[in-house]
Amino acid sequence: MSVHLWVCGVHNHVRRCGSSAQALSSSAAQSLTSALARVRGGPLQARRELAAELSAQWTAASIGKALPTNAGDSHSFVLQIGATNLALLRAAYWPAGRGTEGDVSTAILFGVQCDPAIPLVTAGLPLVEMARLHLGLHGAQRIMAIAAMPGLCKWVVKAAAWERIDSAANGFNHEQLVAVEAVARGQPRPGHSVLGHETFNAARPAFEPLAYDFALRDDDDAEVSLYRAAGATLVGINWMHDTSPESLRESAGCTASFEFPIDE
């Protein structure tokens, strides 16, 4: 997503929901805009330094009212300096008795977005902290998170990870290696005209452990790293959870599930 579309999307979301943020003076706002523009696309260290400088000024807040949907009540959280939006996090909440596992009130964090001038983990941590506090006060007894995994397939290809799949593993067969490479490259297997469900099914037993390893990597701009840094435990990989063309291309449709410890 382009920087312009990201900023406009978050701005419109906050404008619809309402915000109590106080606007900066015009000179301060221009200075902030210039500082953000200066490091976008720049080295990680420069982005970290800017984040450290701005962290004393930013605030995390819940925005708008909880909106009921078919997927639970929707909550949103924004990181701002004045009226300038830096990051956004969403959550869905199901009270006990609405089909939640074990009849426990459950919240799921997802869909974090961040201005690319700021490392996602740095900007996301205060949002996750705010979300956990807010959702806990609303009665959530269990808080989980779902993370997208962009870059997974590129990582598998770059590492030729199919070559290190354990051939001694239970149920291993050579077709798994071929299928993993095909899925990661986004190309049909030899002898096949399309990259279809059969190939994804053949790849799954070997691809899921690779996705699990990928989710344990440290990356300042990865949603998986954000939730681990915030204290959550990786609890599983969701195979073909997102079947959009972009997600299939980037991550074989995989997402990662995390669970936060229960606050005593």
Side-chain angles (χ1 to χ4, degrees), residues 89-239:
L89 175 68
R90 298 178 179 85
Y93 170 64
W94 294 265
R98 281 178 57 182
T100 57
E101 184 177 340
D103 200 31
V104 172
S105 55
T106 302
I108 296 181
L109 312 183
F110 65 95
V112 65
Q113 294 174 273
C114 179
D115 188 306
I118 306 295
L120 184 144
V121 171
T122 306
L125 282 171
L127 286 178
V128 172
E129 182 180 1
M130 169 57 68
R132 292 179 66 191
L133 175 63
H134 176 87
L135 294 164
L137 290 174
H138 275 69
Q141 298 168 280
R142 185 187 192 200
I143 299 180
M144 303 188 69
I146 299 290
M149 304 178 71
L152 169 59
C153 286
K154 287 182 180 178
W155 175 78
V156 171
V157 170
K158 184 176 181 180
W162 53 86
E163 294 180 355
R164 56 183 172 84
I165 294 171
D166 185 6
S167 60
N170 229 2
F172 171 85
N173 62 70
H174 180 71
E175 279 303 303
Q176 290 177 6
L177 275 64
V178 177
V180 166
E181 182 176 3
V183 168
R185 293 189 184 279
Q187 300 171 350
R189 286 182 287 176
H192 293 250
S193 59
V194 296
L195 178 61
H197 284 287
E198 287 187 11
T199 300
F200 276 88
N201 289 339
R204 180 175 182 174
F207 208 107
E208 284 184 327
L210 297 177
Y212 195 95
D213 290 346
F214 181 82
L216 292 175
R217 296 164 61 251
D218 290 326
D219 182 338
D220 284 59
D221 291 309
E223 193 174 6
V224 288
S225 296
L226 165 62
Y227 297 132
R228 288 194 295 107
T233 299
L234 175 63
V235 294
I237 298 298
N238 307 301
W239 181 251

